[in-house]
Amino acid sequence: MASAAHITLCSPIYLIVCEDLQIMVFWVFGYGSLVWNPGFEYDEKMTGFIKNYRRVFDLACIDHRGTPEHPARTCTLEYKEGAICWGAVYCVRGGEEKERLAMKYLENRECEYDQKTTIDFFKEGETDEPTLSGVIVFTSTPDKESNKYYLGPAPLEDMARQIATAFGPCGNNRDYIFLLEKAMFDIGHEDDMVIELATEVRKVLGIMGLAVWKENSSNRLTGTSLKPNSPLSPHKLLHLPEAIAMDT
């Protein structure tokens, strides 16, 4: 990306002025499934973090990895002074139609998120001045009355049971937490909350008699390796299905 003289917010598109050239572009920050599965055409990707936000698993998903009767739990952002949240930022440039299609896809995919917030994005090693300003991130109102998708916090064990058992048209809720855990490991910035919750989900699956396949130490999925309570021969262990492309 060429050095920009300045960036002006023209929601949801940004006008980047480089000398005499004007380029329409927008950036969006992903902190959940967008980290490993953006699902749209983009022109640039960077790994980094945002400040004063943390992941929480307080949002219901009723159309991808859950149903209205049995909603999945997916992550949203909670404001917390001093916190940082690692993820990936994506750039879309190259014309109004391309940008419109990308935003339409994102708005459909992130339909449970009722807000678009603009934030500063920082690359690793650049903690004082943001690499990008005015980056879009999908967030949710933490209020059950005004936001029907907001579940609110719950004890770790309760969240794990919900995640272990929920499923929808796009797959199991448990795949979401395990894939997020792996994605954060792959970018070198594991999230303690994700690890703790994924480990608890594995415990629930162990009690239920399901085995979760573990990768070797070089590509591990962090968490306790558990065996079912009842003895099962290896060929009877249930392998969890892979995630489908559309996600939230």
Side-chain angles (χ1 to χ4, degrees):
M1 176 180 173
S3 59
H6 62 274
I7 300 177
T8 305
L9 176 62
C10 304
S11 180
I13 308 299
Y14 305 96
L15 177 62
I16 298 186
V17 183
C18 297
E19 299 176 352
D20 296 328
L21 180 65
Q22 293 187 347
I23 306 171
M24 300 302 292
V25 56
F26 76 77
W27 294 85
V28 61
F29 179 74
Y31 55 91
S33 62
L34 287 177
V35 178
W36 76 84
N37 177 30
F40 61 95
E41 185 181 353
Y42 61 89
D43 297 283
E44 188 176 349
K45 175 183 178 180
M46 290 188 289
T47 298
F49 63 91
I50 62 175
K51 294 182 177 181
N52 299 322
Y53 287 97
R54 66 177 181 179
R55 285 182 192 83
V56 290
F57 289 81
D58 294 351
L59 195 67
C61 174
I62 64 171
D63 57 355
H64 291 154
R65 294 187 179 273
T67 64
E69 296 76 21
H70 301 286
R73 271 190 183 262
T74 54
C75 64
T76 184
L77 292 178
E78 178 181 78
Y79 183 84
K80 183 175 176 61
E81 190 73 29
I84 63 171
C85 179
W86 284 87
V89 71
Y90 299 91
C91 172
V92 178
R93 66 169 71 92
E96 182 178 347
E97 180 64 11
K98 182 179 179 181
E99 295 150 2
R100 185 189 66 80
L101 289 173
M103 183 54 66
K104 182 179 179 180
Y105 168 82
L106 286 166
E107 289 176 340
N108 178 65
R109 172 171 165 165
E110 310 296 329
C111 59
E112 282 95 1
Y113 298 82
D114 63 339
Q115 294 181 335
K116 293 188 191 79
T117 304
T118 55
I119 44 85
D120 291 335
F121 172 84
F122 299 81
K123 287 178 65 176
E124 188 164 13
E126 300 177 3
T127 58
D128 296 327
E129 294 296 326
T131 307
L132 297 166
S133 294
V135 174
I136 297 170
V137 62
F138 287 83
T139 58
S140 56
T141 305
D143 182 84
K144 292 182 179 180
E145 292 187 5
S146 62
N147 182 3
K148 65 180 181 179
Y149 297 112
Y150 181 69
L151 296 173
L156 182 69
E157 296 81 2
D158 293 348
M159 290 195 295
R161 280 192 293 271
Q162 184 174 355
I163 292 171
T165 56
F167 64 92
C170 292
N172 299 314
N173 196 183
R174 57 188 179 242
D175 292 335
Y176 177 89
I177 187 71
F178 296 147
L179 288 168
L180 179 57
E181 181 188 32
K182 183 180 185 300
M184 300 313 297
F185 174 79
D186 288 345
I187 68 172
H189 293 282
E190 295 173 287
D191 185 311
D192 289 343
M193 177 59 190
V194 174
I195 292 172
E196 186 179 15
L197 186 53
T199 301
E200 192 65 28
V201 170
R202 290 191 181 95
K203 292 180 182 178
V204 173
L205 294 174
I207 293 170
M208 291 169 57
L210 297 177
V212 181
W213 293 107
K214 299 274 293 186
E215 299 186 10
N216 61 36
S217 58
S218 64
N219 288 303
R220 65 185 175 84
L221 290 178
T222 310
T224 306
S225 178
L226 296 161
K227 297 181 180 179
N229 287 344
S230 58
L232 292 174
S233 60
H235 70 276
K236 291 183 179 179
L237 296 180
L238 301 179
H239 184 63
L240 303 181
E242 295 295 326
I244 298 174
M246 185 65 173
D247 202 355
T248 186

